[in-house]
Amino acid sequence: MNKIIDYKLIFLFFLAFMFIVGPSTAQEGKVMYGNTPDSIFPYGKFQKAYKYHFVEPIEFHGAGREKKAPNDLTEVRLGFLGPLENSELVPLGKQMLNGATLAIEEANKLGGYNGLPYKLMVHNDVGLWGAAANEVIKMDDEKVWAWLGSIDDIVSHVALRATLKCEILMVCTGDPDPTFTETNIPWGIRVISDDRQSGYALAYHIFQHEGHKRLAVIRANNRYGRVGVMEFNGVATRLGHPVRMEERFEVGETDFNMQLANIKKANPDAILIWGNATESALVLNQLREMGMEQPVFASDRVVSDEFLKIAGDKAQGIVTTCQYNPGADNPILNAFQENYKKRFGMEADVFAVHAYDGMNLMIKAIEEVGLNRVLIRDVLTDLKTFQNYKGASGEIIFDASWNDIGKIFMAKYSDGEFQFFPAELMKERGHSTRMAGY
């Protein structure tokens, strides 16, 4: 009898031990490479970086804050750089110019800056790297206090380097290249969501919400297509659905039969087009004419009259993203849309509304700190004064690289117009505290 009790006690003791220690320590214990102790592990004492780029703002400790504003000014000059001539992006550039102009005119009606009128110094970019730098130098010669632009990726990148040398703040309201703010140049901010935000939202919608698994991509063979799709491809792979094939076309191309024949042969269950409005519409038309009935998704440049004019009824059902909600119940947006149409005789697009917000930020910064380039930079990058700024495009939220990470929206063309709704990914993103790479 006593032996039976002893066996029970031993058994109970064994169960308690297993419960406290866990199911296995041999496989889950920490094993260091080469059986190297923690105290002498190579680089073990240098794991924490001195500076975490993109999650901590880069500082600017240069001179210039002590400079007084000239006392002989007759106007306050602000710069503009955008595609206005000799570029396929001219329709976008003109909308951007209109938005900036409207903000200037409204500020002048309110008295300008201490009675001095604001004046927009307009410059054209033609998509050439060197030309963009030259235009920034001209703006420096014109004594602008800050400037707004542009849309083309390579133009914006080169202009950012030039503006660093001239020490003039650049407010980008049209270039969606995610690498723009990753240059860590403390003289540029972006007031529009980038293609990383769009790519995340679009991939989540295609694979998680719609349930597609075999996607083919056809994109512009330029930096806009390459960088935009790069971000999309990355998240598609992380969601478990790597893109099955990727075809390319040149800007200005009109015959896509070869690329679409390859896609048709692969028989994907959905297709993504990434390019400017004109080529995207032509691709859509040709793939429908070839009998391809798969759901089609596209980059945000299809939200335009230019796309709809060419695509016609074939635009039905296409889904994309948009950096704001044109139908939002936002009094600032409603007033902007009404005044814009009255002033320019057309509907405002995404480039107009973000240029309006970007120019208003520049004007409010001047009203806050006066006419000093460094102080204007300081107040627009302090992540306090204008954080959560309520603009016509919605709430503007800057991350530590001064990239606008505000809300992104989905847009579906149905019954003759785009219907806008929040991206499904927004709730998940809003609660995440993870930092990529750290």
Side-chain angles (χ1 to χ4, degrees):
M1 185 65 180
N2 288 338
K3 284 187 177 180
I4 294 175
I5 294 174
D6 289 344
Y7 289 143
K8 287 184 176 177
L9 288 174
I10 291 171
F11 180 70
L12 291 173
F13 175 79
F14 177 75
L15 286 178
F17 176 80
M18 291 298 293
F19 178 77
I20 294 171
V21 174
S24 173
T25 56
Q27 294 185 2
E28 296 185 1
K30 186 176 181 182
V31 178
M32 303 292 280
Y33 178 77
N35 198 27
T36 310
D38 273 336
S39 59
I40 58 172
F41 197 84
Y43 309 107
K45 295 181 180 179
F46 304 98
Q47 290 180 355
K48 180 174 172 50
Y50 171 74
K51 180 74 177 179
Y52 286 90
H53 291 292
F54 314 140
V55 295
E56 296 178 26
I58 196 80
E59 302 92 350
F60 174 71
H61 299 296
R65 295 175 177 83
E66 73 288 352
K67 289 184 179 179
K68 303 295 182 185
N71 54 17
D72 59 347
L73 293 176
T74 58
E75 58 193 15
V76 177
R77 294 180 174 179
L78 297 171
F80 175 92
L81 178 64
L84 303 174
E85 296 176 355
N86 303 319
S87 167
E88 70 276 6
L89 300 177
V90 167
L92 287 55
K94 288 184 176 179
Q95 286 268 2
M96 190 166 73
L97 177 60
N98 289 347
T101 299
L102 186 60
I104 292 278
E105 291 176 351
E106 290 179 354
N108 285 337
K109 285 180 181 177
L110 296 174
Y113 174 70
N114 292 338
L116 296 175
Y118 292 102
K119 182 177 181 180
L120 196 60
M121 309 303 289
V122 179
H123 294 259
N124 177 49
D125 82 53
V126 292
L128 300 176
W129 292 58
N134 292 339
E135 297 306 313
V136 175
I137 299 302
K138 290 177 185 175
M139 286 192 274
D140 185 42
D141 292 340
E142 293 168 347
K143 310 297 182 187
V144 303
W145 297 102
W147 67 275
L148 183 146
S150 186
I151 297 174
D152 183 89
D153 308 50
I154 58 175
V155 166
S156 299
H157 264 289
V158 172
L160 183 60
R161 271 69 172 183
T163 208
L164 167 66
K165 293 293 184 184
C166 297
E167 297 188 345
I168 320 171
L169 186 79
M170 171 183 180
V171 178
C172 176
T173 62
D175 175 17
D177 182 347
T179 66
F180 173 79
T181 54
E182 292 177 347
T183 54
N184 248 356
I185 291 176
W187 286 91
I189 68 172
R190 174 155 50 197
V191 185
I192 189 170
S193 298
D194 65 11
D195 276 345
R196 179 180 285 113
Q197 312 299 314
S198 298
Y200 288 173
L202 201 53
Y204 199 89
H205 181 83
I206 293 171
F207 300 114
Q208 300 296 93
H209 186 267
E210 295 294 320
H212 298 298
K213 293 181 173 59
R214 294 168 48 85
L215 182 82
V217 171
I218 178 168
R219 68 162 176 89
N221 190 26
N222 58 12
R223 186 177 176 86
Y224 170 65
R226 176 171 61 83
V227 177
V229 167
M230 176 183 70
E231 295 294 340
F232 177 89
N233 285 350
V235 69
T237 300
R238 295 196 290 277
L239 288 173
H241 306 292
V243 170
R244 294 305 176 105
M245 65 182 306
E246 183 178 306
E247 293 286 342
R248 305 172 189 177
F249 56 82
E250 301 297 330
V251 173
E253 193 171 338
T254 57
D255 184 357
F256 311 94
N257 277 299
M258 182 183 71
Q259 300 95 319
L260 293 176
N262 291 336
I263 291 176
K264 186 175 183 179
K265 186 177 180 180
N267 192 30
D269 57 21
I271 299 169
L272 172 65
I273 307 170
W274 202 288
N276 291 330
T278 298
E279 288 84 8
S280 296
L282 293 173
V283 168
L284 175 64
N285 288 349
Q286 288 189 23
L287 72 86
R288 293 301 189 218
E289 290 165 3
M290 293 173 69
M292 302 167 74
E293 299 298 330
Q294 292 95 333
V296 175
F297 304 87
S299 64
D300 51 54
R301 289 189 179 173
V302 302
V303 183
S304 70
D305 291 338
E306 185 182 359
F307 171 81
L308 296 176
K309 184 177 180 181
I310 300 171
D313 294 339
K314 293 184 177 64
Q316 180 70 22
I318 196 166
V319 176
T320 183
T321 57
C322 191
Q323 296 91 339
Y324 81 118
N325 180 0
D329 185 17
N330 173 1
I332 302 172
L333 173 63
N334 297 338
F336 164 75
Q337 290 170 328
E338 181 179 348
N339 294 334
Y340 187 95
K341 189 170 184 178
K342 188 183 301 179
R343 171 67 175 82
F344 302 106
M346 64 175 73
E347 301 290 345
D349 75 356
V350 65
F351 296 96
V353 68
H354 284 90
Y356 179 76
D357 282 346
M359 187 56 69
N360 272 325
L361 280 173
M362 290 162 58
I363 291 170
K364 291 182 184 302
I366 289 172
E367 293 171 351
E368 185 81 18
V369 299
L371 299 176
N372 179 297
R373 286 180 176 178
V374 182
L375 294 179
I376 292 169
R377 188 217 77 90
D378 287 351
V379 76
L380 279 170
T381 58
D382 67 9
L383 301 181
K384 297 177 182 176
T385 309
F386 295 107
Q387 187 67 297
N388 304 109
Y389 173 79
K390 304 290 191 302
S393 63
E395 185 176 13
I396 295 170
I397 304 171
F398 295 108
D399 67 9
S401 69
W402 305 300
N403 190 30
D404 183 356
I405 55 170
K407 292 180 180 177
I408 198 89
F409 293 85
M410 306 305 299
K412 182 175 183 178
Y413 191 77
S414 177
D415 299 328
E417 62 180 1
F418 275 105
Q419 309 286 339
F420 298 88
F421 53 95
E424 294 88 351
L425 192 58
M426 285 170 57
K427 292 181 181 178
E428 183 176 332
R429 291 166 59 203
H431 292 84
S432 174
T433 58
R434 294 187 62 185
M435 300 179 294
Y438 297 125

